[in-house]
Amino acid sequence: MSSRRHQVGLAIVALLGVALAFRAGPLYWSQYPSTLDGFNYAASAQTAMDTGTLGLTGRADNLFFTAVFAVAGLVFDTPALRVTQPAATVIGTGICLVGVAIARRAVKESATVSVSASAVALVVAGLLAVEGLFLRRTTVPDSDLVGILFTLLVAVSLQYAYRTGRRRWYGISGLFLVIFPILHTFTSFVVGLVITGLTARHVSRRLSLRSLVGGVVIAGGFWAYMAIYYRTAETSLSLAVPYVDRVTAYPGLFVAWAIVLVVGIVWLQHTSLRIRRAIYLGTIGAFFLVVALNAFTPIYPGTASTPQIVLALVALLAFVALSAAVSLDLISEGDGGTILLALFLSPAVIIGFSLTASLTAEYFATAMRAQTFLHFPVVAVAGVTLARLLSRDGSSGVRRFLRLAIVVVVVVATVTTAPLAFVNMDTGSVPSTTLGSEYESVEFVSTEYSGAWTTDHSLSRVGGHTFGANVSVTPTASWLSGGPSPRCAVLSQQSWTTTGAHLFPSGPETVPSDVYREWTGSRNVVYTAGGLDPTVVSLPRSNATVC
């Protein structure tokens, strides 16, 4: 037994090594953050490192993540901009480890699932290491990264607190809940729904005045704490508070979806397995349908459609989603099953809210963020199905072959989705990180040119976050759409002639190669850089400086 446990442990460590290697992928192309918000966190962290204080400026929800990068930079004596991506790589791998532990515990506690918990842990570790969209979100240096980790931890600690009544679990839960509003606004809404769902399930199991009052204090207290903090941050500290206005614009609708969550988490654990599968497949099917339709016409008008390569890779995730439907008996009872159900329903409810509130760019971004939280619970349950298929004995050779074939198909399909972590979701181009040549071009035009300048969305964010540049996207978008040439400095890229310029939330726009060459030839080129995506900084020959 000890030898087998040792072998399983080594195998999990090896799979976590694979997870770490995949999450280090962006570092192959660039040392810079693989998400644009990472430049903002790095700039704030560098300021904190230089001054020794966390400034109450910008957003109300970037304090904790800024502190993480600042501490990492001080510990390793490295500029914050250089430490953000490596730190994200390590944290993302930690999420995989916690996810494996939750899946293993869920199986051990289940009375209906008879499969080796170690086998499930191995399968889930492998799937989490390479599943494309989960890999993407657990690779980028964004607040969601720590948010996902803390959401898993608070779900476990609160569920155990409700079951055991031990103060230490309540204390751990309280510590995490205090952090969330200063960590990330959106993730605070997700975790608020998670604890609301767990509380509803706890009250339904142990209906009493004590459980009811305690649940209201915990869940209601967190929502009140969120509201008071963000209201104070916005009105008294003049800090930006994203996402809150999207909920307050449709408060009744949000409450209605929260009621769906409360009713659903109680009902689904009591209903039949057939109904449970029907609800799950209907929900997942609707999400895949939205992605597919968006490839042909934007569901949210004015936003980017899904590139064909992205659609093809996302479609492969259907194999994982379908395999999870087989083992939904896991969520019928036990702490682990309840945790997984709450972790699935909460982001699903936010997606439902985003689809029914308003078809605008803001709710498109909300739905996109919410879907990243769905992947762990789906993969965890899918891992149980694959472990069951691998562990069944006593059947004929044909059936054994078919079971193995199903496992191979699901695993290969999951591995094939890994490029989603490195693809630009609006253009389908690779890589999705900021290249060294791009950063140097932004640095040049931001520091050597005193006037306003223009470029696409991605590079404008780098310039604004890192250098405080006076940069705008509108003149570039206007020119690419057939308007006049910008009358100021332009940072352009060769990819504008192929996959297109990033104009988020709108779709990319392209310019023919010959037109691009003629256009740059008609301007004063003051800087060029090679690399994977050559860049050009050009000025109008009229010496105009106003975009």
Side-chain angles (χ1 to χ4, degrees), residues 32-80:
Y32 297 107
S34 59
T35 183
L36 299 174
D37 284 342
F39 287 93
N40 186 29
Y41 292 117
S44 300
Q46 190 62 52
T47 300
M49 292 168 62
D50 296 338
T51 62
T53 58
L54 282 173
L56 291 175
T57 58
R59 288 173 47 155
D61 63 344
N62 67 356
L63 297 177
F64 186 85
F65 207 46
T66 296
V68 169
F69 287 144
V71 170
L74 291 172
V75 169
F76 294 102
D77 192 24
T78 304

Side-chain angles (χ1 to χ4, degrees), residues 104 159 233 288 305 328 340 342 367 373 436 509 527:
R104 184 177 185 277
Q159 181 62 23
F288 276 102
S305 60
L328 290 179
L340 292 174
F373 287 81
E509 292 283 354
Y527 181 91

Side-chain angles (χ1 to χ4, degrees), residues 2-39:
S2 177
S3 175
R4 177 176 173 77
R5 185 176 299 175
H6 180 69
Q7 292 174 349
V8 171
L10 288 177
I12 290 178
V13 169
L15 290 171
L16 290 175
V18 173
L20 181 68
F22 271 85
R23 281 154 184 79
L27 294 171
Y28 171 78
W29 290 288
S30 171
Q31 61 183 330
Y32 297 107
S34 59
T35 183
L36 299 174
D37 284 342
F39 287 93

Side-chain angles (χ1 to χ4, degrees), residues 3 52 67 78 92 142 155 170 181 192 226 256 261 344 378 385 412 446 491 504 531:
S3 175
T78 304
D142 199 350
Y170 282 109
M226 272 183 61
L261 167 70
F344 176 83
V378 172
T385 298
V412 170
S446 298
L491 170 54
F504 181 85

Side-chain angles (χ1 to χ4, degrees), residues 10 17 32 60 153-154 183 190 257 480 501 543:
L10 288 177
Y32 297 107
L153 293 174
V154 78
L183 170 63
V190 175
W257 278 104
L480 291 172
N543 293 322

Side-chain angles (χ1 to χ4, degrees), residues 394-421:
S395 57
S396 65
V398 174
R399 290 187 176 181
R400 195 180 307 112
F401 172 79
L402 290 176
R403 290 200 306 269
L404 182 59
I406 292 172
V407 172
V408 170
V409 167
V410 174
V411 171
V412 170
T414 305
V415 173
T416 306
T417 67
L420 283 170

Side-chain angles (χ1 to χ4, degrees), residues 465-480:
H465 290 328
T466 307
F467 303 102
N470 182 13
V471 57
S472 172
V473 178
T474 303
T476 295
S478 175
W479 173 62
L480 291 172

